[in-house]
Amino acid sequence: MKSIKSFFKRYWGVLRRPSVHYSLGALTLGGFIAGIIFWGGFNTALEATNTEAFCISCHEMEDNVYMEIKDTIHYSNRSGVRATCPDCHVPHKWTDKIARKMQASKEVWGTIFGTINTREKFLDKRRELAEHEWARLKANDSLECRNCHDFGFMDFTRQGKRASEFHSTALANGEATCIDCHKGIAHKLPDMRGVPGW
Amino acid sequence: MKFRLLPLTLLAVFGLAIAAETNYPLDAPAPDGRRPGGTITQEFTPPKLHDEENKDIRRERNYPEQPPTIPHSIRGYHVDKNANKCLSCHSRANSARAQAPMISITHYTDRDHQTLAAVAPRRYFCTQCHVPQHDVKPLVENRFKNIDELLYRETSPSTSGN
């Protein structure tokens, strides 16, 4: 116990002692540069986990949801604009992004404990996972959808009759948000019994 | 060891002999008359895909019992064991919110004419009877006359006896 204390005391002494060899300016600059490097590294690591390739590096993601999105308009369409996993599932704002990443550590546990490591287990758990996503999109007013589909720029005259009717009423007056009406646009749906509107 | 390859060689020779047979009907004409020319082995560029009609205007039915065709696009709609997107607008409970026509009472009766509380299983898969339409030239001519046309022909003096 004592030796540990004295050990820290000695290092604290070193840290407190004014620098002999380097000027304050050089130290500040060094700290600044190191900061940039660490921050950059951190952000790069963050960005690397923000790609579809990363998401489908886990077979749980590749064999189920990724296979299903391939049939949908968000994978292949006439304009060639694609939505990837992070586009819909990871917020753009940095603070939100970090919060989501912390949440996502449960996916690492899920992988280790194999919560959805077979198709059967995945299907059994799907309703629960989908409920999480619906709740998240409901709470943020379908922010991720709106990153690409901006209500302000929707041309109702170019939409189908049903689309323009619903968008100019329930969506325009804030009664409903995208996910209320557009569930299952990217993946197959879980058992929908009891979900409002189904 | 030496004879290991013998069966394989024989098989290859035999195969070649069959393939060389000229009147083997690999190149028979295609079975369906809708494809002019061509044989079974030939591949054609498929015709262009068309978008589903999405005008939301109800179409005339050719006879009263005809399942109405779908007047809108149903691209990406799930109808499976877990979910039925059609019913999310056309079910009894949802039709008011969606202002979509409610499925008829027949959809609630099973084959023993028992009326059930929910959609009868035999009516669950909507696209068995209801289909969207495409604005294209029909592949084959259709001479179907609906009942009004027939009645008119029977009763109108100028064309009777025809």
Side-chain angles (χ1 to χ4, degrees):
Chain A
M1 203 50 212
K2 248 202 188 124
S3 63
I4 297 179
K5 226 176 182 173
S6 65
F7 176 83
F8 276 117
K9 241 185 186 157
R10 227 175 62 219
Y11 271 88
W12 184 232
V14 172
L15 283 177
R16 274 178 45 145
R17 204 180 312 137
S19 159
V20 190
H21 301 291
Y22 303 103
S23 71
L24 186 65
L27 279 180
T28 316
L29 195 68
F32 185 65
I33 291 171
I36 290 181
I37 290 172
F38 280 125
W39 176 249
F42 183 60
N43 252 347
T44 310
L46 202 66
E47 283 313 312
T49 62
N50 228 8
T51 61
E52 187 162 88
F54 171 74
C55 302
I56 60 174
S57 67
C58 280
H59 74 95
E60 285 96 337
M61 300 288 110
E62 182 174 14
D63 297 349
N64 301 304
V65 273
Y66 179 62
M67 285 304 150
E68 293 169 2
I69 198 178
K70 285 183 162 184
D71 288 337
T72 71
I73 193 157
H74 284 105
Y75 187 84
S76 154
N77 56 55
R78 67 209 157 122
S79 15
V81 183
R82 252 215 69 193
T84 62
C85 325
D87 288 332
C88 289
H89 289 295
V90 184
H92 284 195
K93 234 172 68 200
W94 199 82
T95 43
D96 297 346
K97 202 189 274 184
I98 294 294
R100 176 72 181 90
K101 290 285 170 191
M102 307 275 269
Q103 247 176 29
S105 26
K106 106 177 157 79
E107 294 181 32
V108 176
W109 287 113
T111 310
I112 293 169
F113 292 113
T115 48
I116 54 169
N117 61 0
T118 64
R119 178 79 183 160
E120 288 69 32
K121 283 197 209 168
F122 172 74
L123 291 180
D124 283 346
K125 199 147 190 218
R126 178 163 225 173
R127 174 70 180 263
E128 188 192 324
L129 303 179
E131 299 261 13
H132 292 158
E133 284 309 298
W134 293 330
R136 185 178 62 81
L137 286 164
K138 179 76 182 160
N140 70 9
D141 196 12
S142 310
L143 177 69
E144 279 76 40
C145 314
R146 291 175 194 264
N147 281 338
C148 287
H149 298 271
D150 195 322
F151 176 75
F153 297 100
M154 273 188 182
D155 181 351
F156 291 159
T157 64
R158 283 272 153 209
Q159 294 190 344
K161 186 157 159 277
R162 288 174 309 145
S164 66
E165 242 161 48
F166 280 90
H167 292 160
S168 59
T169 52
L171 177 63
N173 63 27
E175 231 171 76
T177 183
C178 318
I179 199 64
D180 289 326
C181 300
H182 292 292
K183 293 188 173 72
I185 35 109
H187 318 290
K188 295 234 164 65
L189 284 166
D191 192 335
M192 297 299 277
R193 246 172 292 169
V195 177
W198 284 79
Chain B
M1 209 48 204
K2 258 187 195 157
F3 297 103
R4 269 261 174 94
L5 284 177
L6 190 64
L8 265 183
T9 327
L10 277 179
L11 203 67
V13 170
F14 192 60
L16 276 176
I18 289 185
E21 181 103 37
T22 42
N23 59 2
Y24 192 71
L26 271 180
D27 257 4
D32 65 64
R34 287 182 215 159
R35 221 167 51 159
T39 61
I40 289 176
T41 52
Q42 269 177 310
E43 247 179 61
F44 289 93
T45 8
K48 199 172 164 295
L49 286 176
H50 289 265
D51 278 340
E52 291 165 350
E53 246 186 38
N54 195 24
K55 298 191 193 134
D56 264 314
I57 293 175
R58 290 189 208 179
R59 305 187 187 91
E60 181 189 321
R61 299 190 210 183
N62 291 315
Y63 46 95
E65 305 89 342
Q66 183 202 323
T69 54
I70 306 175
H72 57 73
S73 161
I74 55 165
R75 178 172 57 183
Y77 285 7
H78 300 276
V79 179
D80 56 29
K81 177 167 104 2
N82 290 331
N84 189 320
K85 175 86 174 171
C86 311
L87 290 180
S88 75
C89 286
H90 292 286
S91 74
R92 182 193 60 77
N94 292 331
S95 65
R97 181 182 50 78
Q99 286 298 299
M102 183 188 115
I103 52 174
S104 92
I105 180 66
T106 55
H107 296 56
Y108 289 87
T109 54
D110 65 11
R111 62 177 178 184
D112 302 318
H113 302 286
Q114 292 297 314
T115 303
L116 311 177
V119 177
R122 62 177 185 155
R123 300 283 189 158
Y124 183 82
F125 291 102
C126 317
T127 48
Q128 271 181 201
C129 296
H130 303 281
V131 286
Q133 301 287 302
H134 300 255
D135 187 14
V136 291
K137 191 172 148 283
L139 286 168
V140 287
E141 188 200 356
N142 187 346
R143 278 173 297 168
F144 177 86
K145 295 257 179 296
N146 69 30
I147 191 70
D148 296 330
E149 288 169 289
L150 289 183
L151 281 179
Y152 177 76
R153 216 161 61 182
E154 290 295 312
T155 52
S156 114
S158 59
T159 53
S160 63
N162 201 338

